């Protein structure tokens, strides 16, 4: 059904050079009060820092053991340094439709129906400002790697719009050439005029992969195939996407087990639970991760673990849409690769990943205390020592947002601060009022307390947030234009 067409090599190479940026020279980050490595021993170093060359870390350790100077020196006295957070699920174009009245108090299906035509009405320029603002907000919350599940391509919009904006802002980027092909007339949820033909989707998927995908370590841009959900895409497109992804060695992503409505849909239309439907489509494997994965049973969790499939937990979105609580502790206990995402900005409605780390910890604890409890000791109080392992700690939550997310995206070059890895990190000022009085354990403090904005965020050795401000783009006029774009879309009668 699809055919590999090789894009001109010169075009591909030139795009990658532009997106990767120039060589960064050397960087010395020194004197941090605490540096969280997230390495195999989960070391936390005092009065420490790191030295990087051309975007790669060469040394991590006490300041006294690092080189004395570099092209760029950050004196981080009073700061904590953390590996850059990895966002595993977002829809940047939804920054245009935050908190629309029609979608404020509904669950997923009516919420989607309130938004589909507005998303389909956006222009490439609307996408540009949305992606810039979304990536900026993520970077200000410590996120250095952004995955965007883009799947609505109408009105001249292409995934190239998001790619250009993310490159301008300077985040490490992964993006899906996502899709919707199952309109209402064929039993799907989206209106027919919001979906694309399968032929067009597959043809453009080839173009996007061959033009942009860079699989190498240190890659600034990777392409994913992301058919949207079981109720907006045909089984054929899911199968063809999986074959294409495996041909090119790119990863697969979709929404799964987000709501009980979805479960009812696949039972009614496919005669299968959502996970069994994925199995039937060859969509369970190490190259696949699912957004949400809330409504799963124990056998399905074991299946994910045995096949290596990953999940992206999106706590704020799941609360906002009353979707349910994902069994995060069970996933971790079973060895399922688990990352964190803000989800689209129409269901969060922010792009602050550090808030999600806190929400993940709190929501896991709420689930632990609910009936029926998540853990094995179902009749015991949460204070019982037999339930001690069920507590999701601040450090567990940080692990999910860093090294966990890197694993979900299939990357071993990000997620921790170690020699050889990308110089992706962020710092928080521990003298901020939010942390006052809690610095007996600063690593826990930044999760337990309301998060502050990143003081500095570095991607591949390049400062993209400096002293709490976006350093790569003049963001104020972009925000003004974005608000005009969003107001125009909100006024549409669609
Ligand atoms: Zn989503």
């Amino acid at each position: 059904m699809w055919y590999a067409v090789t894009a001109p090599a010169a075009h591909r190479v030139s795009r990658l050079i532009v997106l990767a940026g120039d060589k960064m020279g050397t960087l010395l980050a020194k004197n941090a009060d605490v540096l969280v490595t997230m390495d195999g021993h989960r070391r936390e170093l005092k009065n420490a820092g790191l030295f990087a060359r051309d975007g790669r870390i060469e040394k991590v350790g006490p300041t006294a053991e690092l080189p004395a100077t570099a092209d760029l020196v950050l004196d981080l006295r009073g700061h904590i340094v953390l590996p850059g957070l990895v966002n595993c699920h977002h829809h940047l174009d939804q920054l245009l439709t935050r908190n629309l009245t029609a979608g404020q108090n509904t669950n997923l299906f009516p919420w989607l129906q309130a938004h589909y035509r507005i998303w389909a009405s956006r222009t490439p320029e609307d996408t540009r400002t949305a992606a810039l603002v979304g990536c900026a907000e993520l970077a200000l919350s410590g996120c250095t790697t952004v995955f965007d599940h883009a799947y609505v391509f109408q009105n001249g919009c292409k995934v190239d719009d998001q790619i250009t904006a993310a490159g301008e802002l300077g985040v490490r980027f992964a993006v899906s050439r996502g899709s919707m092909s199952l309109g209402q007339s064929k039993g799907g949820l989206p209106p027919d005029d919001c979906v694309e033909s399968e032929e067009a989707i597959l043809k453009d998927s080839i173009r996007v992969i061959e033009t942009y995908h860079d699989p190498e370590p240190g890659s600034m841009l990777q392409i994913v195939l992301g058919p949207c959900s079981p109720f907006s895409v045909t089984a054929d497109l899911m199968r063809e996407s999986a074959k294409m992804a495996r041909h090119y060695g790119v990863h697969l992503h979709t929404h799964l087990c987000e709501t009980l409505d979805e479960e009812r849909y696949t039972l009614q239309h496919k005669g299968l639970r959502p996970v069994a439907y994925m199995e039937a489509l060859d969509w369970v494997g190490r190259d696949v991760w699912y957004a949400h994965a809330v409504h799963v049973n124990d056998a399905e969790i074991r299946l994910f673990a045995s096949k290596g499939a990953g999940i992206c937990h999106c706590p704020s979105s799941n609360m906002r849409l009353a979707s349910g609580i994902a069994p995060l502790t069970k996933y971790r206990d079973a060895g399922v690769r688990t990352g964190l995402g803000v989800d689209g900005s129409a269901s969060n409605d922010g792009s602050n990943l550090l808030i999600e780390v806190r929400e993940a910890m709190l929501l896991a604890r709420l689930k632990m205390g609910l009936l029926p409890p998540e853990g094995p000791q179902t009749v015991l109080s949460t204070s019982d020592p037999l339930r001690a392992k069920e507590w999701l700690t601040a450090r567990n939550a940080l692990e999910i947002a860093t090294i966990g997310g890197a694993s979900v995206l299939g990357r071993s070059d990000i997620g921790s601060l170690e020699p050889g890895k990308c110089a992706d990190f962020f710092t928080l000022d521990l003298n901020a009022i939010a942390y006052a009085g809690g610095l007996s354990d600063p690593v826990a403090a930044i999760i337990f307390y309301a998060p502050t904005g990143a003081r500095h965020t570095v991607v591949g050795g390049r400062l993209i947030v400096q002293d709490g401000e976006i350093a790569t783009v003049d963001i104020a006029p972009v925000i003004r234009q974005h608000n005009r774009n969003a107001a125009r879309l909100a006024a549409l009668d669609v």
Side-chain angles (χ1 to χ4, degrees):
M1 192 166 174
W2 55 273
Y3 304 92
V5 180
T6 304
H11 175 57
R12 181 173 185 273
V13 170
S14 66
R15 289 292 310 179
L16 292 176
I17 288 171
V18 170
L19 289 159
D22 297 328
K23 292 289 184 186
M24 296 287 99
T26 53
L27 163 73
L28 172 65
K30 64 178 186 178
N31 295 329
D33 287 17
V34 188
L35 183 147
V36 177
T37 64
M38 208 53 77
D39 65 8
H41 301 288
R42 300 293 186 264
R43 288 182 307 149
E44 296 170 3
L45 309 175
K46 290 183 178 171
N47 190 16
L50 61 83
F51 180 82
R53 186 187 306 275
D54 295 337
R56 294 298 187 93
I57 297 171
E58 285 191 353
K59 196 165 175 56
V60 178
T63 298
E65 296 176 10
L66 298 173
T69 190
D71 300 330
L72 173 63
V73 178
L74 298 174
D75 191 333
L76 300 174
R77 248 171 268 264
H79 287 218
I80 181 171
V81 177
L82 298 126
L85 305 182
V86 179
N87 185 51
C88 295
H89 187 68
H90 203 343
H91 311 284
L92 289 167
D93 49 38
Q94 291 184 14
L95 270 100
L96 293 155
T97 54
R98 284 172 157 174
N99 66 274
L100 286 185
T101 308
Q104 284 180 6
N105 306 304
T106 64
N107 75 353
L108 182 69
F109 279 15
W111 175 89
L112 282 167
Q113 286 163 327
H115 286 93
Y116 278 135
R117 281 211 165 97
I118 304 176
W119 294 334
S121 301
R122 78 179 198 281
T123 65
E125 168 60 15
D126 296 333
T127 310
R128 187 186 77 87
T129 61
L132 279 170
V133 173
C135 288
E137 193 180 5
L138 280 161
L140 287 165
S141 73
C143 175
T144 53
T145 298
V146 177
F147 168 68
D148 183 30
H149 188 183
Y151 64 87
V152 184
F153 297 108
Q154 302 288 333
N155 209 19
C157 290
K158 294 180 178 176
V159 75
D160 312 54
D161 307 329
Q162 281 95 334
I163 289 171
T164 304
E168 207 177 323
L169 206 288
V171 291
R172 203 173 295 283
F173 200 46
V175 64
S176 69
R177 198 311 176 185
S179 52
M180 293 198 297
S181 65
L182 189 65
Q184 276 170 1
S185 65
K186 293 179 182 167
L189 192 70
D192 286 1
D193 53 11
C194 293
V195 307
E196 300 174 85
S197 75
E198 297 184 5
E199 189 183 3
I201 291 164
L202 293 169
K203 188 176 170 194
D204 194 50
S205 298
I206 293 170
R207 178 189 70 83
V208 172
I209 294 170
E210 295 200 344
T211 305
Y212 293 114
H213 183 65
D214 175 9
E216 299 300 321
S219 167
M220 289 295 289
L221 177 58
Q222 298 198 339
I223 302 298
V224 171
L225 295 186
C228 185
S229 63
F231 49 84
S232 61
V233 173
T234 63
D236 270 353
L237 184 62
M238 294 292 285
R239 283 196 200 91
E240 293 298 325
S241 296
K243 283 185 207 162
M244 184 185 293
R246 282 155 191 157
H247 172 80
Y248 282 105
V250 304
H251 284 211
L252 291 160
H253 179 63
T254 193
H255 295 95
L256 198 74
C257 302
E258 182 173 359
T259 65
L260 288 175
D261 286 343
E262 175 198 319
E263 186 176 303
R264 275 189 285 270
Y265 180 93
T266 61
L267 285 169
Q268 184 185 344
H269 289 81
K270 313 293 177 187
L272 296 168
R273 288 174 54 80
V275 175
Y277 180 46
M278 289 298 111
E279 258 194 303
L281 299 172
D282 201 13
W283 259 76
V284 186
R286 280 202 73 78
D287 54 357
V288 181
W289 87 101
Y290 315 107
H292 304 296
V294 173
H295 298 281
V296 290
N297 60 34
D298 290 354
E300 290 162 345
I301 292 172
R302 286 195 296 274
L303 179 74
F304 291 170
S306 67
K307 300 274 190 176
I311 68 108
C312 174
H313 181 42
C314 303
S316 289
S317 175
N318 295 159
M319 288 189 275
R320 156 70 144 95
L321 296 174
S323 300
I325 307 176
L328 193 58
T329 310
K330 280 191 175 182
Y331 280 131
R332 284 173 52 81
D333 288 349
V336 175
R337 293 181 299 128
T338 303
L340 199 60
V342 295
D343 201 4
S345 271
S347 69
N348 182 311
D349 298 77
S351 305
N352 187 316
L353 194 51
L354 197 50
I355 287 179
E356 298 302 309
V357 183
R358 184 171 192 257
E359 303 285 15
M361 179 183 77
L362 297 179
L363 199 55
R365 293 172 179 214
L366 176 60
K367 188 167 179 66
M368 183 184 168
L370 292 175
L371 290 173
E374 183 182 357
Q377 308 293 337
T378 54
V379 295
L380 299 177
S381 160
T382 48
S383 65
D384 193 288
L386 286 173
R387 300 195 66 184
K389 284 187 178 172
E390 293 176 46
W391 289 86
L392 192 86
T393 69
R395 286 171 171 81
N396 295 154
L398 260 181
E399 186 177 288
I400 292 167
T402 52
I403 199 80
S407 172
V408 165
L409 296 188
R411 299 194 63 150
S412 57
D413 57 341
I414 58 173
S416 62
L417 300 179
E418 300 176 76
K421 293 222 176 181
C422 297
D424 291 6
F425 61 92
F426 71 107
T427 82
L428 297 167
D429 183 353
L430 292 172
N431 294 309
I433 194 166
Y435 309 129
L439 296 180
S440 58
D441 184 353
V443 179
I446 60 151
I447 306 305
F448 270 94
Y449 306 167
T452 61
R455 193 70 185 156
H456 305 301
T457 302
V458 173
V459 179
R462 180 187 184 202
L463 269 170
I464 62 170
V465 173
Q466 184 171 16
D467 294 324
E469 304 283 343
I470 295 294
T472 48
V473 171
D474 183 5
I475 203 70
V478 176
I479 293 170
R480 286 195 292 274
Q481 183 60 47
H482 179 65
N483 278 328
R484 286 193 287 273
N485 298 343
R488 190 189 80 253
L489 290 171
L492 290 178
D493 183 18
V494 291

PDB file of all heavy atoms in Angstrom, residues 89-91 94 149 151 255 258 291-292 343-344 347, ligand 1:
ATOM      1  N   HIS A  89       4.307  13.143  25.736  1.00  0.00           N
ATOM      2  CA  HIS A  89       3.011  13.276  25.059  1.00  0.00           C
ATOM      3  C   HIS A  89       2.515  14.708  25.153  1.00  0.00           C
ATOM      4  O   HIS A  89       2.409  15.262  26.255  1.00  0.00           O
ATOM      5  CB  HIS A  89       1.978  12.333  25.674  1.00  0.00           C
ATOM      6  CG  HIS A  89       0.673  12.284  24.926  1.00  0.00           C
ATOM      7  ND1 HIS A  89       0.558  11.746  23.661  1.00  0.00           N
ATOM      8  CD2 HIS A  89      -0.569  12.728  25.245  1.00  0.00           C
ATOM      9  CE1 HIS A  89      -0.689  11.846  23.241  1.00  0.00           C
ATOM     10  NE2 HIS A  89      -1.401  12.450  24.185  1.00  0.00           N
ATOM     11  N   HIS A  90       2.233  15.275  24.004  1.00  0.00           N
ATOM     12  CA  HIS A  90       1.720  16.645  23.941  1.00  0.00           C
ATOM     13  C   HIS A  90       0.992  16.811  22.613  1.00  0.00           C
ATOM     14  O   HIS A  90       1.147  15.990  21.696  1.00  0.00           O
ATOM     15  CB  HIS A  90       2.886  17.643  24.030  1.00  0.00           C
ATOM     16  CG  HIS A  90       2.483  19.016  24.509  1.00  0.00           C
ATOM     17  ND1 HIS A  90       1.186  19.460  24.523  1.00  0.00           N
ATOM     18  CD2 HIS A  90       3.216  20.054  24.988  1.00  0.00           C
ATOM     19  CE1 HIS A  90       1.144  20.700  25.005  1.00  0.00           C
ATOM     20  NE2 HIS A  90       2.371  21.077  25.302  1.00  0.00           N
ATOM     21  N   HIS A  91       0.181  17.853  22.507  1.00  0.00           N
ATOM     22  CA  HIS A  91      -0.362  18.298  21.215  1.00  0.00           C
ATOM     23  C   HIS A  91      -0.169  19.808  21.218  1.00  0.00           C
ATOM     24  O   HIS A  91      -0.994  20.553  21.751  1.00  0.00           O
ATOM     25  CB  HIS A  91      -1.845  17.947  21.080  1.00  0.00           C
ATOM     26  CG  HIS A  91      -2.162  16.526  21.430  1.00  0.00           C
ATOM     27  ND1 HIS A  91      -1.874  15.474  20.586  1.00  0.00           N
ATOM     28  CD2 HIS A  91      -2.725  15.971  22.536  1.00  0.00           C
ATOM     29  CE1 HIS A  91      -2.247  14.345  21.159  1.00  0.00           C
ATOM     30  NE2 HIS A  91      -2.761  14.616  22.344  1.00  0.00           N
ATOM     31  N   GLN A  94      -2.764  22.455  20.352  1.00  0.00           N
ATOM     32  CA  GLN A  94      -3.876  22.723  21.284  1.00  0.00           C
ATOM     33  C   GLN A  94      -3.624  23.954  22.168  1.00  0.00           C
ATOM     34  O   GLN A  94      -4.527  24.370  22.900  1.00  0.00           O
ATOM     35  CB  GLN A  94      -4.155  21.500  22.142  1.00  0.00           C
ATOM     36  CG  GLN A  94      -4.752  20.339  21.363  1.00  0.00           C
ATOM     37  CD  GLN A  94      -5.107  19.163  22.237  1.00  0.00           C
ATOM     38  OE1 GLN A  94      -5.164  19.275  23.461  1.00  0.00           O
ATOM     39  NE2 GLN A  94      -5.345  18.016  21.626  1.00  0.00           N
ATOM     40  N   HIS A 149       2.595  14.901  19.752  1.00  0.00           N
ATOM     41  CA  HIS A 149       1.718  13.996  18.998  1.00  0.00           C
ATOM     42  C   HIS A 149       0.808  14.848  18.110  1.00  0.00           C
ATOM     43  O   HIS A 149      -0.331  15.155  18.474  1.00  0.00           O
ATOM     44  CB  HIS A 149       0.904  13.129  19.970  1.00  0.00           C
ATOM     45  CG  HIS A 149       0.123  12.046  19.286  1.00  0.00           C
ATOM     46  ND1 HIS A 149      -0.718  11.199  19.967  1.00  0.00           N
ATOM     47  CD2 HIS A 149       0.040  11.658  17.992  1.00  0.00           C
ATOM     48  CE1 HIS A 149      -1.276  10.345  19.123  1.00  0.00           C
ATOM     49  NE2 HIS A 149      -0.832  10.612  17.916  1.00  0.00           N
ATOM     50  N   TYR A 151      -1.500  15.328  14.947  1.00  0.00           N
ATOM     51  CA  TYR A 151      -2.307  14.394  14.143  1.00  0.00           C
ATOM     52  C   TYR A 151      -3.415  15.054  13.336  1.00  0.00           C
ATOM     53  O   TYR A 151      -4.152  14.373  12.623  1.00  0.00           O
ATOM     54  CB  TYR A 151      -2.897  13.287  15.034  1.00  0.00           C
ATOM     55  CG  TYR A 151      -3.874  13.765  16.088  1.00  0.00           C
ATOM     56  CD1 TYR A 151      -5.231  13.918  15.806  1.00  0.00           C
ATOM     57  CD2 TYR A 151      -3.455  14.032  17.390  1.00  0.00           C
ATOM     58  CE1 TYR A 151      -6.131  14.347  16.776  1.00  0.00           C
ATOM     59  CE2 TYR A 151      -4.339  14.464  18.362  1.00  0.00           C
ATOM     60  CZ  TYR A 151      -5.676  14.616  18.042  1.00  0.00           C
ATOM     61  OH  TYR A 151      -6.563  15.034  18.998  1.00  0.00           O
ATOM     62  N   HIS A 255      -2.932   7.030  21.345  1.00  0.00           N
ATOM     63  CA  HIS A 255      -3.696   7.075  22.595  1.00  0.00           C
ATOM     64  C   HIS A 255      -4.288   5.686  22.834  1.00  0.00           C
ATOM     65  O   HIS A 255      -4.832   5.082  21.910  1.00  0.00           O
ATOM     66  CB  HIS A 255      -4.858   8.058  22.479  1.00  0.00           C
ATOM     67  CG  HIS A 255      -4.450   9.490  22.301  1.00  0.00           C
ATOM     68  ND1 HIS A 255      -4.343  10.087  21.073  1.00  0.00           N
ATOM     69  CD2 HIS A 255      -4.155  10.451  23.215  1.00  0.00           C
ATOM     70  CE1 HIS A 255      -3.998  11.369  21.233  1.00  0.00           C
ATOM     71  NE2 HIS A 255      -3.871  11.612  22.528  1.00  0.00           N
ATOM     72  N   GLU A 258      -7.567   5.258  27.373  1.00  0.00           N
ATOM     73  CA  GLU A 258      -7.683   6.541  28.079  1.00  0.00           C
ATOM     74  C   GLU A 258      -8.979   6.610  28.872  1.00  0.00           C
ATOM     75  O   GLU A 258      -9.000   7.143  29.982  1.00  0.00           O
ATOM     76  CB  GLU A 258      -7.600   7.702  27.073  1.00  0.00           C
ATOM     77  CG  GLU A 258      -7.664   9.082  27.735  1.00  0.00           C
ATOM     78  CD  GLU A 258      -7.404  10.225  26.777  1.00  0.00           C
ATOM     79  OE1 GLU A 258      -7.152   9.967  25.580  1.00  0.00           O
ATOM     80  OE2 GLU A 258      -7.447  11.392  27.222  1.00  0.00           O
ATOM     81  N   ALA A 291      -0.149   6.711  25.021  1.00  0.00           N
ATOM     82  CA  ALA A 291      -0.495   7.794  25.929  1.00  0.00           C
ATOM     83  C   ALA A 291      -1.646   7.348  26.824  1.00  0.00           C
ATOM     84  O   ALA A 291      -2.595   6.707  26.361  1.00  0.00           O
ATOM     85  CB  ALA A 291      -0.922   9.025  25.138  1.00  0.00           C
ATOM     86  N   HIS A 292      -1.539   7.627  28.102  1.00  0.00           N
ATOM     87  CA  HIS A 292      -2.565   7.432  29.137  1.00  0.00           C
ATOM     88  C   HIS A 292      -2.549   6.032  29.739  1.00  0.00           C
ATOM     89  O   HIS A 292      -2.177   5.872  30.878  1.00  0.00           O
ATOM     90  CB  HIS A 292      -3.963   7.798  28.617  1.00  0.00           C
ATOM     91  CG  HIS A 292      -4.027   9.199  28.102  1.00  0.00           C
ATOM     92  ND1 HIS A 292      -3.835  10.276  28.918  1.00  0.00           N
ATOM     93  CD2 HIS A 292      -4.197   9.688  26.837  1.00  0.00           C
ATOM     94  CE1 HIS A 292      -3.912  11.391  28.199  1.00  0.00           C
ATOM     95  NE2 HIS A 292      -4.123  11.070  26.942  1.00  0.00           N
ATOM     96  N   ASP A 343       0.374  16.206  28.062  1.00  0.00           N
ATOM     97  CA  ASP A 343      -0.775  16.073  27.157  1.00  0.00           C
ATOM     98  C   ASP A 343      -1.111  17.448  26.566  1.00  0.00           C
ATOM     99  O   ASP A 343      -0.541  18.465  26.941  1.00  0.00           O
ATOM    100  CB  ASP A 343      -1.995  15.450  27.835  1.00  0.00           C
ATOM    101  CG  ASP A 343      -2.967  14.849  26.806  1.00  0.00           C
ATOM    102  OD1 ASP A 343      -2.663  14.857  25.594  1.00  0.00           O
ATOM    103  OD2 ASP A 343      -4.040  14.368  27.219  1.00  0.00           O
ATOM    104  N   GLY A 344      -2.040  17.461  25.638  1.00  0.00           N
ATOM    105  CA  GLY A 344      -2.346  18.691  24.916  1.00  0.00           C
ATOM    106  C   GLY A 344      -2.841  19.795  25.818  1.00  0.00           C
ATOM    107  O   GLY A 344      -3.412  19.562  26.877  1.00  0.00           O
ATOM    108  N   SER A 347      -6.415  20.082  27.405  1.00  0.00           N
ATOM    109  CA  SER A 347      -6.890  19.187  28.469  1.00  0.00           C
ATOM    110  C   SER A 347      -5.974  19.224  29.676  1.00  0.00           C
ATOM    111  O   SER A 347      -6.016  18.342  30.518  1.00  0.00           O
ATOM    112  CB  SER A 347      -6.999  17.744  27.958  1.00  0.00           C
ATOM    113  OG  SER A 347      -5.725  17.201  27.718  1.00  0.00           O
TER     114      SER A 347
HETATM  115 ZN1  LIG B   1      -3.276  13.296  23.870  1.00  0.00          ZN
END
